């Protein structure tokens, strides 16, 4: 609600936005639900605050992610729902074309999944550094779909990531509060990610790209 949102941290705002989306998906029949593109983009935009905590080395990742969310948001009046985006690109045979909205959606989905995996690694043990948590998450979720040049740049950038403590400080969280919000996001993002995957699978589009 508005009150808890206004006093919440950036992480709690992200968790809350994805809980709203996942509640919608769960209450309205999952994959058959027609998710609103603007609402989806608004939730995805909140994630951008995380980049600010990572430092200059991830500026290019931020620009990549933000521009793709912006493209989708800019198309939200015309397309209205995620299903319409896919239907259009299927019709035009542009699902995987560079810069198409369906391709951007696939990339944004990978970003959401990357954060989920990162949070999961972060929570799994106090021993692992942010660099380790992020490297493992990236290797699993995004690296298989990125070019060699990008993978090289990302692994160089990993050395510039802040420590766990610095990250918590920049996010304005304690260890305990961050754990709570990360768990909320991990839970809430899962149905959203599965929903996006189903948009492709139900149209016989493979997810190996
Ligand atoms: C606290 C969080 C720490 C996370 C650290 C991990 C950062 C990974 C950075 C990934 C950089 C990706 C750079 C650009 C990749 C592009 O090649 C692709 C393909 O674009 P296309 O050819 O389709 O136009 N772009 C993307 O995959 C867009 C989204 C990638 C960025 C996701 C970041 C997710 C958010 C991280 C949390 C801050």
């Amino acid at each position: 609600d508005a009150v808890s949102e206004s006093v919440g941290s950036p992480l709690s705002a992200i968790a809350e936005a994805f809980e709203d989306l996942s509640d919608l998906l769960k209450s309205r029949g999952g994959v058959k639900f027609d998710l609103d593109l603007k609402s989806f983009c608004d939730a995805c935009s909140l994630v951008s605050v995380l980049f600010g905590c990572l430092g200059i080395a991830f500026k290019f990742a931020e620009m990549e992610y933000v521009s793709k969310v912006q493209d989708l948001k800019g198309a939200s009046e015309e397309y209205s729902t995620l299903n319409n985006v896919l239907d259009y690109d299927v019709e035009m045979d542009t699902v995987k074309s560079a810069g198409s909205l369906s391709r951007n959606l696939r990339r944004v989905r990978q970003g959401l999944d990357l954060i989920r995996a990162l949070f999961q690694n972060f929570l799994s043990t106090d021993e692992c550094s942010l660099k380790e948590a992020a490297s493992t998450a990236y290797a699993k979720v995004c690296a298989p779909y990125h070019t060699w040049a990008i993978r090289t740049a990302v692994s160089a950038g990993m050395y510039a990531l802040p420590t766990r403590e610095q990250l918590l400080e920049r996010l304005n969280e304690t260890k305990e509060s961050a754990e709570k919000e990360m768990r909320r996001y991990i839970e809430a993002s899962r149905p959203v990610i599965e929903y996006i995957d189903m948009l492709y699978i139900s149209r016989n589009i493979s997810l190996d790209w």
Side-chain angles (χ1 to χ4, degrees):
D1 60 278
V3 176
S4 64
E5 222 166 47
S6 66
V7 297
S9 64
L11 265 192
S12 71
I14 294 169
E16 177 148 349
F18 281 89
E19 277 175 356
D20 289 347
L21 290 180
S22 73
D23 287 348
L24 263 180
L25 293 174
K26 280 188 240 166
S27 66
R28 309 277 183 84
V31 295
K32 279 178 257 129
F33 181 62
D34 214 8
L35 185 61
D36 179 60
L37 183 56
K38 173 80 166 40
S39 316
F40 171 74
C41 291
D42 287 342
C44 293
S45 293
L46 293 174
V47 169
S48 316
V49 300
L50 292 178
F51 288 107
C53 306
L54 299 181
I56 194 78
F58 287 94
K59 196 72 200 165
F60 83 110
E62 172 175 11
M63 288 162 59
E64 259 294 309
Y65 177 84
V66 169
S67 74
K68 286 174 162 62
V69 174
Q70 274 307 118
D71 279 0
L72 287 164
K73 199 182 282 194
S76 61
E77 272 196 39
E78 192 178 341
Y79 291 86
S80 157
T81 69
L82 273 62
N83 269 308
N84 290 343
V85 166
L86 267 290
D87 285 340
Y88 177 83
D89 280 318
V90 166
E91 173 119 352
M92 294 290 151
D93 198 19
T94 46
V95 171
K96 301 182 187 178
S97 304
S100 81
L101 295 175
S102 297
R103 177 161 168 151
N104 287 354
L105 177 62
R106 173 96 185 114
R107 298 299 175 222
V108 170
R109 173 257 183 248
Q110 282 161 347
L112 300 177
D113 202 17
L114 175 65
I115 298 162
R116 185 202 52 75
L118 170 82
F119 285 177
Q120 219 147 32
N121 292 344
F122 192 89
L123 294 180
S124 67
T125 162
D126 287 344
E127 311 303 309
C128 92
S129 63
L130 182 60
K131 174 180 175 287
E132 286 168 314
S135 302
T136 311
Y138 177 77
K140 194 162 170 199
V141 176
C142 289
Y145 312 108
H146 284 171
T147 61
W148 179 84
I150 294 288
R151 293 198 307 271
T152 305
V154 170
S155 59
M158 292 293 179
Y159 288 93
L161 283 177
T163 64
R164 290 175 74 106
E165 293 70 29
Q166 285 168 331
L167 178 69
L168 295 178
E169 206 169 296
R170 292 176 195 178
L171 287 170
N172 205 10
E173 301 283 352
T174 62
K175 185 169 170 288
E176 292 71 28
S177 68
E179 282 183 9
K180 175 173 158 255
E181 305 305 343
M182 286 180 184
R183 273 184 220 293
R184 287 177 68 197
Y185 174 82
I186 291 168
E187 276 307 303
S189 62
R190 203 186 318 270
V192 178
I193 291 167
E194 279 171 11
Y195 174 81
I196 297 171
D197 285 349
M198 277 310 298
L199 294 174
Y200 297 84
I201 293 169
S202 64
R203 291 170 174 83
N204 288 320
I205 302 160
S206 67
L207 297 178
D208 56 351
W209 54 289

